[in-house]
Amino acid sequence: MSISSEHKPLGKQVTGSLHTLSPIVELNVGGEMYTTTLSTLKKHPGSRLAEMFTGQPKLRTDSEGRFFIDRPGTYFKYILEYLRSNQVPTQCIQDVYKEALFYDIEPLIKQLEDSPQIFGELVARKQFLARVPNYSENIELMIRIARAEAVASRRSSVIVCVVRTEEDAARCQDALNSLDMDKKSVVKFGPWKAAPSISDLLDCIQMDVEAKGYKISFQPHIAEKGFRFKSHDFFYKFLFTWW
């Protein structure tokens, strides 16, 4: 007597050996259904994906008995395409790269890292930002200041001081001492030893704040009349818009 699917147990742990299973494997990856072979999934021994299907099963199953992987299913098709035919994806590169890292498929990771999108982010932009002292911490500080000033307001602003050289850092400090504002609320970036310019760093700041879900813009901060330096040489106003 067969058991209807509505009476099948939910999310049971598989106890049999994968060696006794059919070479055809059905997968549920984040709600997307795939059918492939064990040999495809185990194509790269030592990868996390291969280990999932080696020896004792390390995955749970859904109500239909399909192996369940709790990852974004949309991008798994690109992983399968690579495993089946060595085809490196040309779409959704950033997202596929994250999945390749999760499944630890080293050859795909290396090939994706050679793509312009990943190369530019990892080798060019990230390496530059690694040379800007306390960059990540300053991004978080900007956000905290902006949120603190957002009460009953549509917009809040954060003043940023950007200096590329040690000489500019000293001049910036002199300028900061002349500003009529709470100096603790000014976020300082730099100096750094790398080719990108101040405008490049400003673009990076905007990009990384927006990546966290905020709507932001920036402009040179014009100080009061009689200010001894050109304030726009160092100071910029970042405007957060809340609604």
Side-chain angles (χ1 to χ4, degrees):
M1 181 177 176
S2 62
I3 301 176
S4 64
S5 59
E6 63 183 6
H7 292 108
K8 290 182 180 180
L10 296 174
K12 63 182 180 180
Q13 183 74 41
V14 178
T15 56
S17 169
L18 279 166
H19 297 299
T20 66
L21 295 178
S22 165
I24 307 301
V25 180
E26 291 189 343
L27 301 172
N28 176 345
V29 185
E32 299 281 341
M33 311 307 164
Y34 295 94
T35 301
T36 186
T37 65
L38 271 178
S39 59
T40 295
L41 296 170
K42 297 165 65 175
K43 184 175 181 179
H44 294 285
S47 70
R48 185 175 186 179
L49 183 62
E51 289 177 356
M52 289 178 181
F53 296 92
T54 300
Q56 288 295 111
K58 302 171 180 65
L59 297 170
R60 301 186 71 85
T61 59
D62 66 11
S63 60
E64 298 296 323
R66 294 172 291 228
F67 287 104
F68 179 73
I69 302 176
D70 193 14
R71 296 293 295 179
T74 304
Y75 310 115
F76 191 72
K77 65 181 179 182
Y78 300 109
I79 300 293
L80 272 185
E81 284 177 7
Y82 178 77
L83 295 175
R84 288 166 173 162
S85 60
N86 291 322
Q87 180 178 338
V88 179
T90 57
Q91 305 176 50
C92 309
I93 300 296
Q94 298 278 0
D95 294 303
V96 177
Y97 179 66
K98 292 177 184 176
E99 297 311 296
L101 288 173
F102 174 79
Y103 294 114
D104 194 21
I105 304 173
E106 193 64 32
L108 178 56
I109 291 171
K110 289 181 178 178
Q111 290 183 70
L112 288 173
E113 286 179 347
D114 284 336
S115 69
Q117 299 94 320
I118 304 299
F119 179 87
E121 176 67 14
L122 293 181
V123 177
R125 201 177 84 92
K126 290 295 187 186
Q127 288 298 315
F128 159 52
L129 295 178
R131 302 184 184 190
V132 180
N134 304 313
Y135 177 81
S136 298
E137 293 85 346
N138 284 340
I139 292 291
E140 296 300 327
L141 178 58
M142 285 179 63
I143 292 171
R144 288 200 301 273
I145 292 172
R147 291 176 68 93
E149 295 182 358
V151 178
S153 300
R154 184 173 185 181
R155 298 180 181 87
S156 54
S157 61
V158 178
I159 304 301
V160 167
C161 174
V162 183
V163 292
R164 186 173 176 180
T165 67
E166 294 288 351
E167 180 182 1
D168 284 344
R171 294 176 62 209
C172 176
Q173 188 58 49
D174 289 341
L176 189 59
N177 292 335
S178 301
L179 282 176
D180 184 20
M181 66 171 65
D182 181 4
K183 297 173 182 57
K184 292 181 180 179
S185 67
V186 178
V187 182
K188 178 187 170 189
F189 287 86
W192 64 88
K193 294 181 179 179
S197 65
I198 286 177
S199 63
D200 294 325
L201 180 66
L202 293 169
D203 288 340
C204 287
I205 293 171
Q206 181 174 14
M207 184 187 309
D208 289 329
V209 173
E210 287 179 340
K212 295 178 180 292
Y214 296 92
K215 185 177 179 181
I216 189 175
S217 61
F218 67 88
Q219 62 190 37
H221 176 62
I222 308 301
E224 305 82 8
K225 224 174 179 185
F227 188 58
R228 73 175 81 170
F229 298 107
K230 292 180 180 178
S231 59
H232 55 76
D233 287 345
F234 308 116
F235 296 98
Y236 297 84
K237 179 186 289 187
F238 278 80
L239 194 64
F240 288 71
T241 301
W242 301 103
W243 50 273

